[in-house]
Amino acid sequence: MNDIIYTPEILRQLPAPPADATGWPWTCKQQLSQEHDDHEPEKWPRLTVVTPSYNQGQFLEQTIRSVLLQEYPNLHYVIIDGGSDDDSVEVIRKYEPWIDYWVSERDRGQSHAINKGFDLAEGEILCWLNSDDLFLPGTLRRVARCFMRSGCDILSGHTLEVGHHAQTLFEAQPCTVDRLLDKMRICSAQQSTFWTRQVWEECGPLTEDLHYAMDFDLWLRMAAANFEWRLIDETIAIFRRHEQQKTVTSYQSRIEAHEIVLRFARSRFYQPERHHDSVHRALWVEGWLEYAHAQHYTASKKLPYWLHWATLPFRNWRCLWAPRYYPRVVRRLAGDLR
């Protein structure tokens, strides 16, 4: 089946890019397979993209264009801005005619903003794209086609990490509870992961007091809920690394990851006969040292190294991971934890 190279009609409607801006997503030539029937957009599932934003005006316009230039026939696009004081609102207003809903008001953080967006979602397929990341050309059509053909519940593709004058390919891997807890991080990047409304209703919303590892928390619940999680061997999104990025500048994400494991062990998703060994390793074999090192990193400017370790149990007893401090967790875990 031959592909047609075409320039999206919307490119002529959108505001002109800066004079020195070239390439995606300022200009675009997509590949559209002839099997697509754009004259019947109702055949394409409704797809909601939520973009949380806060003071990312320097990247936001590229993110918006990467969504709109998909020219997906049944798109529902929502932007939730946290009351930015840079030029983010001006950028959003520039593209307002093509955005289904947007708001700029103070919120309780990124997780709260994403939940607000999904509360408004009309789509059968859902995802969120941060305001400094990008979809690659044709992503939404590829994703929708895979959902329609396979009937899967969750879908992930590869992600290109760009930043610091280097590019790295983050390849999507099967997301299981064992694999997530073994790595203590996501196996498939959030920018390249999509799921159905049924999955969100079962596993959502995001935990709003998490500010770094909210995707790891959601992925863990999704994997434990036994939804069908498929991978596509294509690169469909760009993850941008930069100095202002909180996941790069903060070590707190590791601390949050171990808090998430504890919550998971208390949750309705935890099944002792299936998850005990993985949770045991995450909390005991690796968890204590990881957590203690993270605590030292955050306190290193305040305390000498030896004093940090000497006083750590008194400042934060959770680092001990001792059974007497977590009687409810221990009762939930099957087997003998020493």
Side-chain angles (χ1 to χ4, degrees):
M1 179 113 20
N2 296 327
D3 286 340
I4 304 171
I5 303 296
Y6 83 111
T7 300
E9 177 66 26
I10 195 173
L11 188 61
R12 291 187 282 272
Q13 304 171 11
L14 293 179
D20 57 345
T22 59
W24 179 260
W26 304 113
T27 59
C28 171
K29 288 186 177 180
Q30 293 189 12
Q31 285 192 338
L32 178 63
S33 173
Q34 288 181 341
E35 66 183 288
H36 294 142
D37 188 354
D38 290 328
H39 299 292
E40 300 182 25
E42 66 276 4
K43 289 187 176 181
W44 291 92
R46 187 74 160 160
L47 195 155
T48 293
V49 179
V50 174
T51 293
S53 172
Y54 182 68
N55 285 344
Q56 298 266 315
Q58 59 180 322
F59 305 119
L60 181 58
E61 185 170 8
Q62 290 176 276
T63 299
I64 293 173
R65 290 180 70 95
S66 80
V67 175
L68 299 180
L69 285 176
Q70 300 288 320
E71 208 175 26
Y72 184 75
N74 203 359
L75 174 67
H76 180 232
Y77 190 28
V78 176
I79 299 179
I80 307 295
D81 183 77
S84 298
D85 53 16
D86 62 357
D87 63 343
S88 295
V89 173
E90 287 74 12
V91 170
I92 296 172
R93 285 187 174 138
K94 186 177 176 182
Y95 292 88
E96 187 172 21
W98 299 274
I99 299 170
D100 293 280
Y101 177 87
W102 73 274
V103 67
S104 181
E105 61 186 16
R106 293 192 64 179
D107 53 43
R108 297 188 296 272
Q110 183 181 4
S111 297
H112 180 223
I114 295 169
N115 286 339
K116 284 170 59 177
F118 285 138
D119 285 343
L120 302 166
E122 300 175 359
E124 305 165 43
I125 302 171
L126 309 176
C127 72
W128 88 76
L129 183 71
N130 292 328
S131 54
D132 50 0
D133 298 328
L134 309 171
F135 286 142
L136 287 173
T139 288
L140 298 187
R141 292 176 183 271
R142 292 189 186 98
V143 166
R145 191 189 319 145
C146 288
F147 271 103
M148 289 189 292
R149 288 178 174 176
S150 68
C152 64
D153 302 301
I154 310 168
L155 185 71
S156 293
H158 306 321
T159 305
L160 186 65
E161 297 184 4
V162 176
H164 306 296
H165 309 290
Q167 295 185 358
T168 305
L169 184 63
F170 184 95
E171 295 187 4
Q173 300 177 2
C175 283
T176 63
V177 172
D178 291 345
R179 186 183 292 269
L180 287 164
L181 292 179
D182 180 60
K183 293 178 176 294
M184 290 300 286
R185 65 182 181 90
I186 57 174
C187 301
S188 295
Q190 161 264 311
Q191 298 81 2
S192 301
T193 300
F194 300 75
W195 55 89
T196 64
R197 176 176 291 275
Q198 180 186 358
V199 173
W200 179 255
E201 291 174 351
E202 174 70 18
C203 301
L206 296 180
T207 305
E208 292 185 1
D209 63 351
L210 298 177
H211 303 289
Y212 304 94
M214 71 286 288
D215 47 358
F216 175 73
D217 181 45
L218 181 61
W219 273 214
L220 197 56
R221 280 178 270 155
M222 286 179 174
N226 295 322
F227 287 107
E228 183 181 359
W229 199 319
R230 291 212 173 188
L231 306 180
I232 54 175
D233 189 19
E234 297 183 57
T235 304
I236 59 177
I238 293 177
F239 169 53
R240 192 198 306 269
R241 291 193 176 275
H242 53 88
E243 293 182 356
Q244 292 78 29
Q245 190 174 41
K246 64 181 182 180
T247 52
V248 173
T249 59
S250 178
Y251 208 73
Q252 186 70 20
S253 58
R254 291 194 178 186
I255 299 177
E256 278 196 354
H258 290 90
E259 297 286 348
I260 287 167
V261 177
L262 286 171
R263 295 182 187 188
F264 174 72
R266 299 187 186 105
S267 73
R268 62 184 176 87
F269 295 97
Y270 175 74
Q271 302 175 35
E273 66 280 3
R274 296 180 54 200
H275 305 145
H276 164 260
D277 290 343
S278 298
V279 170
H280 180 282
R281 285 194 302 271
L283 293 182
W284 290 80
V285 179
E286 302 169 0
W288 185 85
L289 287 177
E290 187 84 10
Y291 193 93
H293 279 297
Q295 287 288 345
H296 172 257
Y297 183 90
T298 57
S300 59
K301 294 183 179 180
K302 301 178 182 178
L303 295 174
Y305 185 80
W306 67 270
L307 186 57
H308 161 77
W309 281 96
T311 61
L312 186 57
F314 301 100
R315 289 184 293 105
N316 194 331
W317 49 264
R318 290 184 178 186
C319 70
L320 296 175
W321 303 120
R324 62 182 177 278
Y325 294 127
Y326 288 102
R328 286 182 298 176
V329 176
V330 173
R331 284 199 298 269
R332 290 288 301 274
L333 298 178
D336 181 24
L337 296 183
R338 291 187 174 89

